[in-house]
């Protein structure tokens, strides 16, 4: 990334501490055990207490995961010129990018994004009055040559895992296992390849600044370097998620927070960098169709427990959030709490980062 640009520097109150507190308490859940009720109860507790958990024996083939990681490393090792051939822009948000912002501060990373559904349908603009929909098509680099085939195979396996976890979460809320499946038809789910180079100022910059994931669910692979930090709900302390071999890290997104009417909360997280080792991660963002109207599920609301959130359109919300990936907007990022009934505001065009 060359010499350090001031745009990477976090505000003093958001700068990382170089002393690490590892998250011993984040649950590790074995999805292979036969006692479904036990798994469901473990997931319920994890969603309520942390907003995060890890899963093992998840069904994603280890060999496929390893190939995907190797392909990611190969791509990011290419020359700047070669990677720029598939550079994304404001017209097509898919492909390679290295100047993404989270909360108006530049992230110390490079990314490559591709969608599960190809093409993916999204609103042409965040304007509520604009009914136009656009097709967004994946860009694939010339090298590594097998990246498209490998990525599509990997996406199918991780999507299968996401549906399984979503079903278990639905169970934990007292719903039918397949209650939410239909909403993910023609999904806006996507996968991001993340590369975090060694950083000469790890006490001033972040790989990804503090944020909450806007979608339903995130399924994250991280390598053995680690760097993901979660803001602990009990005291607001930043806690490092220790890498676990062959595990995926799962976190609840804003959509599940709304669907559950606040029972499960999306939690702030960020990514630390270091001065010695590069880091790779691969998050899968499990998102519904652009036409989905997100609101508390009727089964979970009543006169004693009224809806806490105003209904909103996911596609419009998503379109507004992606704008700040390309430039510093200087406005407050659109957040889910703007749709709380005690804080309802007009839908405005603003944005936030989308990474873990």
């Amino acid at each position: 990334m060359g010499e350090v640009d001031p745009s990477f520097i976090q505000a003093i109150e958001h700068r990382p501490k170089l002393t690490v507190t590892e998250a011993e308490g984040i649950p590790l859940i074995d999805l292979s055990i036969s006692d479904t009720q036990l798994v469901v109860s473990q997931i319920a507790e994890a969603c309520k207490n942390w907003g995060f958990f890890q899963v093992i024996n998840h069904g994603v083939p280890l060999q496929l995961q390893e190939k995907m990681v190797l392909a990611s490393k190969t791509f990011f090792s290419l020359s700047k010129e070669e990677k720029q051939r598939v550079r994304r822009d404001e017209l097509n948000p898919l492909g390679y990018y290295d100047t993404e912002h989270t909360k108006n501060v530049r992230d110390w990373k490079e990314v490559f994004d591709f969608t599960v559904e190809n093409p993916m349908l999204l609103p042409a603009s965040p304007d509520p009055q604009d009914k136009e929909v656009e097709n967004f098509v994946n860009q694939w680099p010339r090298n590594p040559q097998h990246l498209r085939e490998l990525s599509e195979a990997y996406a199918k396996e991780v999507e299968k895992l996401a549906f399984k976890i979503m079903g278990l979460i639905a169970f934990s809320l007292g719903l039918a296992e397949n209650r939410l499946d239909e909403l993910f038809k023609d999904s806006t789910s996507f996968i991001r390849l993340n590369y975090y180079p060694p950083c000469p100022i790890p006490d001033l910059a972040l790989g990804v600044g503090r944020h909450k994931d806007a979608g339903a669910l995130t399924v994250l692979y991280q390598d053995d370097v680690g760097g993901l930090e979660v803001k602990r709900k009990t005291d607001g302390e930043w806690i490092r998620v220790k890498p676990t071999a062959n595990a995926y890290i799962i976190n609840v997104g804003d959509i599940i927070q709304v669907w559950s009417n606040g029972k499960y909360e999306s939690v702030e997280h960020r990514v630390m960098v270091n001065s010695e080792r590069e880091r790779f991660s691969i998050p899968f963002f499990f998102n519904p169709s652009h036409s989905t109207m997100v609101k508390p599920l009727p089964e979970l609301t009543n006169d004693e427990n009224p809806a806490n959130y105003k209904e909103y359109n996911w596609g419009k919300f998503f379109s507004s959030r992606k704008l700040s990936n390309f430039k510093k907007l200087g406005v407050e990022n659109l957040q889910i709490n703007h749709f709380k009934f005690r804080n309802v505001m007009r839908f405005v065009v603003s944005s936030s980062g989308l990474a873990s």
Side-chain angles (χ1 to χ4, degrees):
M1 286 191 173
E3 59 185 59
V4 175
D5 188 300
S7 64
F8 288 109
I9 308 300
Q10 295 282 329
I12 293 175
E13 65 270 23
H14 299 305
R15 291 176 186 172
K17 296 178 182 178
L18 296 185
T19 55
V20 173
T21 303
E22 289 191 337
E24 299 294 340
I26 289 183
L28 181 66
I29 299 173
D30 186 345
L31 295 182
S32 70
I33 63 176
S34 57
D35 188 344
T36 303
Q37 190 54 52
L38 174 60
V39 174
V40 168
S41 64
Q42 290 175 336
I43 286 177
E45 287 300 309
C47 289
K48 283 188 289 188
N49 297 332
W50 283 96
F52 274 77
F53 55 95
Q54 300 186 74
V55 294
I56 56 174
N57 295 319
H58 41 67
V60 178
L62 178 59
Q63 187 177 35
L64 180 60
Q65 182 192 86
E66 291 172 342
K67 287 180 178 179
M68 193 69 214
V69 174
L70 180 59
S72 176
K73 291 180 178 180
T74 301
F75 172 75
F76 288 116
S77 70
L78 297 174
S79 68
K80 184 86 166 181
E81 180 183 11
E82 190 70 16
K83 288 181 286 192
Q84 294 282 20
R85 292 178 184 273
V86 289
R87 184 177 176 83
R88 74 188 199 193
D89 54 36
E90 290 186 52
L91 296 179
N92 185 0
L94 303 173
Y96 171 78
Y97 205 60
D98 63 348
T99 55
E100 187 165 84
H101 290 70
T102 301
K103 295 190 183 296
N104 294 312
V105 180
R106 188 175 170 187
D107 296 327
W108 190 273
K109 67 177 180 184
E110 299 177 27
V111 306
F112 179 82
D113 290 342
F114 62 92
T115 61
V116 175
E117 299 287 340
N118 188 36
M120 178 182 71
L121 292 176
L122 270 185
S125 80
D127 182 354
Q129 305 307 316
D130 185 358
K131 304 303 181 184
E132 185 179 353
V133 176
E134 290 185 344
N135 288 322
F136 291 92
V137 180
N138 287 329
Q139 301 187 79
W140 297 106
R142 296 185 299 186
N143 292 303
Q145 294 180 352
H146 60 287
L147 182 60
R148 176 174 183 170
E149 179 183 357
L150 182 60
S151 297
E152 289 174 348
Y154 180 78
K156 287 181 180 178
E157 293 296 330
V158 182
E159 184 180 48
K160 192 186 305 179
L161 172 60
F163 270 110
K164 180 174 183 176
I165 293 170
M166 188 62 73
L168 292 168
I169 289 175
F171 260 145
S172 75
L173 292 169
L175 306 170
E177 182 180 13
N178 63 352
R179 167 66 174 84
L180 303 167
D181 289 1
E182 185 65 23
L183 300 176
F184 291 89
K185 185 179 180 182
D186 300 321
S187 78
T188 54
S189 301
F190 70 99
I191 289 179
R192 166 165 292 178
L193 308 182
N194 279 323
Y195 169 53
Y196 303 95
C199 177
I201 51 165
D203 57 331
L204 301 178
L206 287 166
V208 184
R210 73 198 192 284
H211 68 285
K212 298 182 179 185
D213 290 348
L217 200 67
T218 303
V219 181
L220 173 71
Y221 161 85
Q222 71 164 346
D223 65 14
D224 63 345
V225 176
L228 174 66
E229 292 193 335
V230 176
K231 195 170 188 179
R232 188 163 54 193
K233 293 174 69 174
T234 55
D235 57 8
E237 186 73 19
W238 286 105
I239 305 296
R240 179 74 58 90
V241 180
K242 183 177 181 180
T244 300
N246 303 329
Y248 278 98
I249 299 167
I250 313 297
N251 67 277
V252 168
D254 287 345
I255 291 177
I256 287 181
Q257 179 172 326
V258 174
W259 281 342
S260 70
N261 204 31
K263 182 176 182 179
Y264 296 160
E265 183 182 353
S266 177
V267 173
E268 258 192 336
H269 50 288
R270 66 185 186 182
V271 175
M272 296 273 285
V273 287
N274 69 83
S275 60
E276 299 175 357
R277 296 184 65 187
E278 57 187 7
R279 176 181 181 260
F280 297 87
S281 72
I282 308 176
F284 170 90
F285 298 98
F286 194 41
N287 300 330
S289 163
H290 75 89
S291 62
T292 300
M293 298 304 296
V294 181
K295 62 181 180 179
L297 297 172
E299 300 97 317
L300 303 180
T301 58
N302 52 42
D303 291 342
E304 289 74 36
N305 184 34
N308 292 322
Y309 298 90
K310 183 181 179 182
E311 181 180 72
Y312 65 93
N313 175 262
W314 163 245
K316 293 294 184 181
F317 187 94
F318 189 29
S319 294
S320 73
R321 291 280 291 245
K322 66 184 177 64
L323 289 180
S324 69
N325 293 341
F326 305 97
K327 53 192 172 186
K328 185 173 180 176
L329 296 179
V331 296
E332 183 185 5
N333 297 317
L334 184 65
Q335 299 294 334
I336 200 65
N337 64 2
H338 294 150
F339 294 89
K340 275 193 171 182
F341 272 118
R342 61 179 175 79
N343 188 30
V344 172
M345 59 177 288
R346 292 183 63 190
F347 194 97
V348 294
V349 177
S350 53
S351 47
S352 179
L354 286 170
S356 288

